[in-house]
């Protein structure tokens, strides 16, 4: 990860903070256990938060948009207005949301009578378009109802969105002879626009199943155009993803297309109940061909997790500072699948062979740099550790390990005690240090660590989530080139997942 603190806000905050740095010896600077204060409810700072987000109750299937300094989120909710529709929320920091009320209310005589979920909102040529999945009024099946996807338009991201009408004054609706849900729209650098959707399993019998299922959900994509005031397809939709791996169950749904570093990332949701997960495929064009990333599941929770389950339907967004995030839902009850879900946010990094997601987290994480002025500078330093079984670079690789399947990405020690150092080429402003311990806390029990920054040493307690998290925070930033951490396992082997240094 390259140093990115180039945005106007980061520069302004940085100038103020540099002026208030303590000397290199840290004289007069108070260090404190921020994690302990967070757990006790006495924390008065603004650096840290945790999932789920606040301000959106029982939301699912979120899509997200950044516009004019605000993030806008459009989830599936229990919409309180007859006929159905969607609400919209806005936030400056991704974790604290303000309810702006209804942005789309279905017409009583419209194309769908209820079942509005999984909205998609995108900006094209100065207009904002909302693609809505709803139960169509003319699509009854034997034991269910077909869904269709309608389009609405607004002049701003909070609406109100009104049904997009064709030249006859009728709502523009995609309603083929099968049920469709989960729209996604992507505009490429050349201006071409692409539409993705799910062919729903309830109306999709298959005879060539790769997993033995009689029905399956599949993902299709097609180029669209804005012709004569309405959207139309260019050619026939192309099958892009279908169930093929064990974790897929019979469902591949909730497509999301985006591009980074010249690579097209097609992500989607799949799996059954608690094992609902986010998968990733890579392509060289918006319509493929696609192949599974090296890590085909980029966001999931272990089956024995008591904190998280059902991490699925999602979208991605990049901040003004160039940091990328995934927003997604999980079940409120982590022990069993329910339709009550909440919204979470975690960081992501793009690789040539896939997407690295630091989640799904219940642990304390740090706010975006737009809010706090600091970011994780640990990947820009060199990490050394005594008596390591594997490379210490695993400690600053941006991977907070939260699943048992990823234990190979943790740093392990040959002994029960170790000293870890994060060294920078020159002096850096450091405000806080976070230590994430192993997800295998049954064989790796760590109660506390000692962190030394510029001669100031503070013992910090590990707060237990999926991993343990310990946090040292300084009253004000200190200019240093070295951070020292002393840690011991009180039982079992010593292993750590990640070191985060918040600074500039």
């Amino acid at each position: 990860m390259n140093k990115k603190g180039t945005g106007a806000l980061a520069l302004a905050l940085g100038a103020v903070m540099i002026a208030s740095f303590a000397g290199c010896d840290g004289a007069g600077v108070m260090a404190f256990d921020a994690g302990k204060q967070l757990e006790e409810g006495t924390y008065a700072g603004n650096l840290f938060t945790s999932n789920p987000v606040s301000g959106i109750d029982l939301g699912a299937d979120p899509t997200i948009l950044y516009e004019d300094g605000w993030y806008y989120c459009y989830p599936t909710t229990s919409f309180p207005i007859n006929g159905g529709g969607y609400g919209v929320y806005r936030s400056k920091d991704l974790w604290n949301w303000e309810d702006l009320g209804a942005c789309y209310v279905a017409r009583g005589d419209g194309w769908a009578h209820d079942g509005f979920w999984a909205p998609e909102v995108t900006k094209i040529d100065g207009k904002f378009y909302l693609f809505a999945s709803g139960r169509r009024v003319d699509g009854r099946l034997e034991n269910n109802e077909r869904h269709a996807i309608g389009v609405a338009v607004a002049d701003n991201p909070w609406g109100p969105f009104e049904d997009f009408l064709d030249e006859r004054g009728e709502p523009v609706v995609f309603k083929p002879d099968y049920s469709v849900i989960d729209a996604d729209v992507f505009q490429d650098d050349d201006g071409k626009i692409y539409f993705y959707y799910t062919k729903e399993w309830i109306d999709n019998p298959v005879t060539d199943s790769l997993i033995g299922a009689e029905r399956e959900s599949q993902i299709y994509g097609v180029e669209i155009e804005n012709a004569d005031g309405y959207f139309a397809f260019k050619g026939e939709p192309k099958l892009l993803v279908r169930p093929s791996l064990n974790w897929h169950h019979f469902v591949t749904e909730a497509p999301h297309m985006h591009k980074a570093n010249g690579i097209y990332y097609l992500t989607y949701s799949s799996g059954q109940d608690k094992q609902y997960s986010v998968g990733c495929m890579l392509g060289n064009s918006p319509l493929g061909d696609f192949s599974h990333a090296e890590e085909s599941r980029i966001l999931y929770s272990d089956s024995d997790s008591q904190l998280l389950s059902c991490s699925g339907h999602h979208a991605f967004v990049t901040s003004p500072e160039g940091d990328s995030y995934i927003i997604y839902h999980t079940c409120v009850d982590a022990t069993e699948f329910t339709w009550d879900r909440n919204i979470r946010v975690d960081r992501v990094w793009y690789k040539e062979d896939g997407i690295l997601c630091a989640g799904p987290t219940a642990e304390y994480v740090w706010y975006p740099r737009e809010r706090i002025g600091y970011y994780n500078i640990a990947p820009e330093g060199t990490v050394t550790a005594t008596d390591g079984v594997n490379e210490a670079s695993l400690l600053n690789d941006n991977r907070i390990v939260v699943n048992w399947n990823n234990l190979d990405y943790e740093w392990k020690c040959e002994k029960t005690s170790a000293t870890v150092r994060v060294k920078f080429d020159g002096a850096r402003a450091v405000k806080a240090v976070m230590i994430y311990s192993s997800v295998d806390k049954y064989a790796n029990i760590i109660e506390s660590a000692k962190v030394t920054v510029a001669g100031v040493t503070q013992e910090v307690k590990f707060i237990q989530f999926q991993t343990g998290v310990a946090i040292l925070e300084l009253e004000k930033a200190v200019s240093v080139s070295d951070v020292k951490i002393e840690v011991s396992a009180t039982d079992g082997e010593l292993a750590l997942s990640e070191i985060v240094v918040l600074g500039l």
Side-chain angles (χ1 to χ4, degrees):
M1 174 178 169
N2 295 324
K3 185 178 179 182
K4 297 178 180 175
T6 57
L9 177 59
L11 286 174
L13 287 170
V16 173
M17 293 169 186
I18 289 172
S20 64
F21 286 163
C24 289
D25 61 357
V29 176
M30 182 179 72
F32 57 92
D33 187 339
K36 185 172 182 290
Q37 291 184 4
L38 284 161
E39 185 182 43
E40 294 172 345
T42 59
Y43 181 66
N46 71 339
L47 296 182
F48 307 105
T49 185
S50 62
N51 281 311
V53 303
S54 65
I56 305 177
D57 296 327
L58 300 182
D61 312 323
T63 190
I64 192 168
L65 183 75
Y66 182 83
E67 181 73 14
D68 290 336
W70 291 94
Y71 297 96
Y72 292 88
C73 180
Y74 310 83
T76 301
T77 58
S78 298
F79 200 70
I81 299 175
N82 291 336
Y86 304 103
V88 58
Y89 302 78
R90 72 176 184 177
S91 173
K92 285 286 190 180
D93 61 22
L94 290 168
W95 269 271
N96 297 284
W97 294 88
E98 173 191 1
D99 187 352
L100 298 183
C103 67
Y104 174 75
V105 179
R107 296 181 353 185
D109 59 349
W111 58 273
H113 57 82
D114 65 2
F116 285 89
W117 65 54
E120 159 73 2
V121 177
T122 190
K123 183 180 182 181
I124 301 174
D125 296 333
K127 293 282 189 178
F128 296 86
Y129 295 89
L130 183 151
F131 293 77
S133 300
R135 290 191 182 96
R136 52 196 270 193
V137 297
D138 59 349
R140 292 195 174 276
L141 300 172
E142 181 178 353
N143 296 313
N144 215 313
E145 294 175 282
R146 284 192 174 100
H147 276 74
I149 296 172
V151 186
V153 63
D155 292 326
N156 55 67
W158 56 88
F161 288 86
E162 301 290 344
D163 285 336
F164 203 45
L165 305 179
D166 62 19
E167 69 277 5
R168 300 169 299 172
E170 297 293 328
V172 173
V173 181
F174 176 45
K175 50 178 184 178
D177 59 356
Y178 51 85
S179 186
V180 291
I181 58 173
D182 297 350
D184 181 68
V185 176
F186 168 73
Q187 186 168 25
D188 205 354
D189 300 332
D190 59 6
K192 293 182 179 180
I193 304 166
Y194 298 86
F195 178 74
Y196 304 86
Y197 65 90
T198 299
K199 185 176 184 180
E200 198 177 12
W201 68 270
I202 63 170
D203 197 18
N204 188 27
V206 292
T207 58
D208 59 343
S209 172
L210 301 178
I211 57 173
E214 295 180 357
R215 299 174 185 269
E216 65 182 35
S217 291
Q218 303 167 340
I219 293 172
Y220 284 77
V222 64
E223 186 180 347
I224 62 176
E225 60 183 339
N226 196 332
D228 300 325
Y230 64 93
F231 286 106
F233 291 167
K234 285 185 176 181
E236 291 298 317
K238 178 182 178 181
L239 175 60
L240 301 178
V241 188
R242 63 179 302 186
S244 60
L245 302 177
N246 291 335
W247 65 273
H248 279 158
H249 193 45
F250 58 85
V251 170
T252 51
E253 61 186 11
H256 183 85
M257 168 59 72
H258 61 299
K259 184 180 183 181
N261 303 321
I263 300 172
Y264 295 86
Y265 297 89
L266 176 57
T267 55
Y268 59 94
S269 298
S270 186
Q272 184 179 23
D273 298 343
K274 284 188 63 176
Q275 298 305 299
Y276 202 50
S277 307
V278 175
C280 179
M281 300 189 79
L282 311 177
N284 55 15
S285 77
L287 295 177
D289 292 331
F290 291 98
S291 59
H292 276 101
E294 181 178 358
E295 294 181 54
S296 59
R297 281 200 299 174
I298 62 171
L299 187 76
Y300 64 97
S301 52
D302 286 323
S303 59
D304 63 346
S305 172
Q306 298 300 303
L307 296 174
L308 288 167
S309 69
C310 219
S311 50
H313 199 124
H314 61 285
F316 294 84
V317 68
T318 298
S319 78
E321 296 292 340
D323 302 316
S324 296
Y325 300 86
I326 183 172
I327 185 168
Y328 59 99
H329 72 230
T330 60
C331 285
V332 172
D333 187 343
T335 63
E336 62 179 306
F337 172 81
T338 71
W339 291 109
D340 290 336
R341 291 158 291 177
N342 50 33
I343 306 294
R344 295 172 183 262
V345 175
D346 278 304
R347 288 170 169 81
V348 297
W349 289 267
Y350 294 96
K351 310 183 297 177
E352 291 185 358
D353 57 0
I355 298 175
L356 172 60
C357 179
T361 63
E363 288 80 355
Y364 295 124
V365 293
W366 61 104
Y367 275 117
R369 71 176 86 180
E370 307 94 273
R371 168 169 172 160
I372 64 178
Y374 300 102
Y375 70 103
N376 180 21
I377 63 174
E380 297 166 20
T382 300
V383 178
T384 60
T386 58
D387 302 310
V389 174
N390 46 10
E391 293 293 328
S393 58
L394 291 172
L395 289 170
N396 66 339
D397 63 355
N398 285 319
R399 185 188 292 267
I400 301 172
V401 177
V402 294
N403 288 306
W404 287 73
N405 289 344
N406 291 332
L407 288 175
D408 288 344
Y409 296 103
E410 295 184 341
W411 174 80
K412 299 176 179 63
C413 185
E414 294 177 345
K415 299 181 180 179
T416 57
S417 298
T419 298
V420 178
R421 302 187 90 104
V422 184
K423 298 181 180 180
F424 301 99
D425 291 339
R428 304 296 294 270
V430 173
K431 185 66 167 63
V433 178
M434 307 178 73
I435 311 163
Y436 291 87
S437 64
S438 172
V439 70
D440 186 6
K441 52 184 177 287
Y442 300 105
N444 177 73
I445 299 175
I446 308 174
E447 295 181 354
S448 64
K450 289 183 178 180
V451 182
T452 301
V453 180
V456 178
T457 300
Q458 173 69 44
E459 185 172 6
V460 288
K461 174 187 175 184
F462 279 86
I463 312 302
Q464 295 300 324
F465 297 96
Q466 296 150 192
T467 69
V469 183
I471 307 173
L472 172 135
E473 184 174 344
L474 298 166
E475 186 181 29
K476 56 183 177 180
V478 177
S479 180
V480 300
S481 59
D482 178 272
V483 173
K484 177 183 176 182
I485 299 167
E486 299 170 273
V487 61
S488 299
T490 56
D491 190 17
E493 301 174 347
L494 175 61
L496 298 175
S497 167
E498 191 72 8
I499 305 295
V500 171
V501 179
L502 295 184
L504 291 172

